[in-house]
Amino acid sequence: KDSDSDEYKSVSCASEAVRRESRRRTRMSDSEKITGISGEEERLLTIAIKNSLREKNAKPVIELNEIEEMMTYRPTEDEFKDPLVYIENLYKEGASEYGCIKIIPPASFKPPCPLSKDSTMKLPSRYQTIQKMGQGKPFDFNSDGITLSDFKKKDLGTTTYESLVSQKKYDELEKMFWDFVENTESEEINVEYAADLPRNTYGTKEFEKDDKPYEDHPWNLNKMHLRHNSLLQF
């Protein structure tokens, strides 16, 4: 008896669902029946398209050459001896008001490159298709890696855009970059880089005698957390 009752309830619920869907389709406009989207969705889509066209045709609020350069600091030899003290002093001077800053070391600071230019070791890299940046798509990974010589061959600054780079027409290059970002129909351009790689794993050259001080240099980011005045030492 209970089984028959449950079956009756299931059939009743199914019948009610069919009736509701039938009433909903009756109320649908001709446009909804064709496109499969509701009137509200169609209204929001129309607004989005209008806003997109308005942004596309709008004049830039500011020209590239009017954008202020990043705040740059040049520490002296003495200031450069203790990075954490120097950074704390910058904070006190108001550097925290900027989103980011640039610190240019003294001319004497010339750490060696641990990667031999003839190295055949493949470095894991990341790359991003410029045309997909506006879509909020993240970087992709090249887990197979790429050698330093192959990196150089793919450098557009020495091939396709060599003329603009040699003439230091950086504003023009930047405008081209944003054109590529906004024009998703243009030929895809990938930006690839290999960074944040540990020297102990990918370094192919040992520190030479004259370069040894750089191994324990205060600005060695691999060891900065061990500094006596760093909270990260604990």
Side-chain angles (χ1 to χ4, degrees):
K1 188 173 181 180
D2 291 340
S3 176
D4 292 342
S5 177
D6 290 342
E7 184 176 354
Y8 174 76
K9 291 178 181 177
S10 297
V11 172
S12 298
C13 289
S15 299
E16 179 60 25
V18 171
R19 285 195 294 271
R20 284 200 301 268
E21 176 63 15
S22 178
R23 289 195 297 270
R24 188 186 72 80
R25 289 186 173 276
T26 301
R27 293 194 302 267
M28 287 173 64
S29 65
D30 293 338
S31 175
E32 289 178 276
K33 292 175 182 178
I34 295 173
T35 63
I37 62 176
S38 69
E40 177 63 13
E41 290 173 325
E42 186 176 8
R43 185 183 71 81
L44 294 175
L45 181 60
T46 301
I47 293 174
I49 293 174
K50 287 182 178 179
N51 289 338
S52 178
L53 292 173
R54 189 181 298 117
E55 291 177 3
K56 182 177 179 180
N57 297 324
K59 294 182 179 179
V61 177
I62 188 172
E63 295 295 333
L64 290 174
N65 58 4
E66 296 176 347
I67 299 176
E68 293 185 16
E69 289 290 332
M70 182 186 298
M71 191 63 180
T72 302
Y73 295 89
R74 298 176 182 272
T76 63
E77 295 279 357
D78 190 56
E79 292 173 328
F80 199 64
K81 291 179 180 178
D82 194 321
L84 297 181
V85 170
Y86 180 68
I87 292 172
E88 184 178 4
N89 288 334
L90 292 183
Y91 176 83
K92 293 177 180 177
E93 292 175 10
S96 58
E97 296 178 5
Y98 306 98
C100 59
I101 62 171
K102 183 192 298 183
I103 298 176
I104 298 180
S108 61
F109 184 73
K110 297 179 180 179
C113 176
L115 183 66
S116 171
K117 63 179 181 179
D118 301 318
S119 173
T120 57
M121 178 181 289
K122 290 189 174 182
L123 310 173
S125 64
R126 307 174 209 179
Y127 66 93
Q128 185 171 44
T129 303
I130 294 180
Q131 285 80 356
K132 294 180 180 179
M133 288 181 63
Q135 302 170 27
K137 295 188 176 180
F139 282 94
D140 290 311
F141 291 86
N142 177 5
S143 55
D144 294 333
I146 184 171
T147 64
L148 181 60
S149 59
D150 286 336
F151 256 126
K152 291 181 177 179
K153 292 176 184 177
K154 298 172 69 174
D155 183 5
L156 296 179
T158 59
T159 54
T160 308
Y161 306 110
E162 181 181 10
S163 176
L164 293 175
V165 172
S166 61
Q167 297 177 55
K168 298 183 179 181
K169 294 185 176 181
Y170 303 127
D171 285 348
E172 190 170 339
L173 282 169
E174 189 164 358
K175 287 180 179 178
M176 292 176 66
F177 170 81
W178 289 112
D179 285 341
F180 286 132
V181 171
E182 296 172 358
N183 185 4
T184 57
E185 301 300 323
S186 61
E187 182 181 355
E188 290 190 350
I189 297 178
N190 289 328
V191 174
E192 187 170 10
Y193 76 104
D196 311 320
L197 301 177
R199 184 189 189 283
N200 294 339
T201 303
Y202 297 100
T204 55
K205 292 170 61 179
E206 294 293 331
F207 276 110
E208 297 181 5
K209 184 177 180 180
D210 294 340
D211 298 326
K212 204 68 176 176
Y214 288 104
E215 186 172 9
D216 296 314
H217 195 280
W219 284 84
N220 183 337
L221 299 182
N222 288 319
K223 297 184 177 181
M224 189 181 288
H225 66 285
L226 300 175
R227 299 284 298 171
H228 68 90
N229 49 356
S230 171
L231 288 175
L232 300 179
Q233 64 180 297
F234 302 104

